[in-house]
Amino acid sequence: MHHSALTGHRSTVRAARRFAVVVPLVCALSALVSCSKQEESLTTPCGVVVDGSGSAAAVKEGFDSEAKLKDSLVEFLADQKCGTVDYAPITRSSRSSSCRQRQVDLDPPHDANTDQKVQRADAQRDAAVAALAELTCARTQNGSDVWGALDRIGEAVPREGGTPKLLVVSDFAQADPEFQLSHQEIGTEAARTKVIDTLVEKRGLPGIKGMDVFPVGLGMQYGAKPSEADDFESFWVQALEGRAKAHVDNHYRR
């Protein structure tokens, strides 16, 4: 009896060792179907606003929105763990523009066999293609209704999944048929407040309260005029943070 028990114990140990070797082998042979860890879910709702105005062209006086979009978009989507991305174009009438692209799902449905890294890379590529398509279209509707685009993206981006993040590729030179910022006096806080009051009275507030706004190209047209650049940036911070209650973050500013 003692010998049988000892033999049985040794057999159990050998079986356990064989099992320990076989499990990772099965995992490898089954392409990690039940053994691999799934990627962390991407839930942040994101938005991309792209400027198609003349000042965004790739010319000496422009800030080249296409180059800045290509330089910042994928980094933004990855950094912010964007689960979805919505779009809004900046044109002469951004709210009614036909250039808006459909939402792209950056964390598509998957099963245990899915290579999520490849799937997500494909989705990010789709997001970049959509952003460039929007820019191409916006260039045919020349104008710079930044305020209207912010309002439109605020309506499009869902509120579920965390704080919405907005990448705004624009020099922010508001110029539409009803309002041109370059014609306004914004040299003091009081003057800026008056201009913002007028703009809000005519157009309302963009619905971006609580969202993080990442400008790319803000004020680049004032590169040779530092004092005017300061006033211009102060205007937008005062409008977006002070009035619309969003948060401005210059992390992707180029």
Side-chain angles (χ1 to χ4, degrees), residues 101-208:
Q101 302 294 300
R102 294 181 179 179
Q103 183 187 82
V104 174
D105 186 350
L106 297 171
D107 192 11
H110 57 272
D111 58 30
N113 291 308
T114 303
D115 186 330
Q116 284 179 271
K117 290 184 179 179
V118 172
Q119 184 188 47
R120 289 176 176 181
D122 289 343
Q124 286 189 355
R125 184 165 53 250
D126 291 342
V129 169
L132 288 171
E134 181 168 76
L135 174 59
T136 299
C137 179
R139 285 171 170 167
T140 69
Q141 299 179 6
N142 196 21
S144 192
D145 179 17
V146 180
W147 200 256
L150 291 172
D151 193 24
R152 192 169 187 182
I153 199 67
E155 291 179 352
V157 174
R159 293 280 180 166
E160 300 81 17
T163 301
K165 313 292 184 180
L166 308 179
L167 185 74
V168 185
V169 184
S170 173
D171 59 4
F172 283 75
Q174 174 74 30
D176 63 74
E178 296 178 339
F179 183 89
Q180 294 193 35
L181 184 55
S182 62
H183 295 172
Q184 311 299 320
E185 171 54 52
I186 57 172
T188 65
E189 182 176 351
R192 292 191 289 272
T193 298
K194 185 177 179 180
V195 174
I196 294 169
D197 287 343
T198 301
L199 187 55
V200 171
E201 183 179 349
K202 289 182 177 180
R203 306 280 293 277
L205 273 174
I208 56 174

Side-chain angles (χ1 to χ4, degrees), residues 52 89-93 96-99 137-144:
I90 296 177
T91 67
R92 62 176 173 267
S93 182
S96 60
S97 172
S98 59
C99 296
C137 179
R139 285 171 170 167
T140 69
Q141 299 179 6
N142 196 21
S144 192

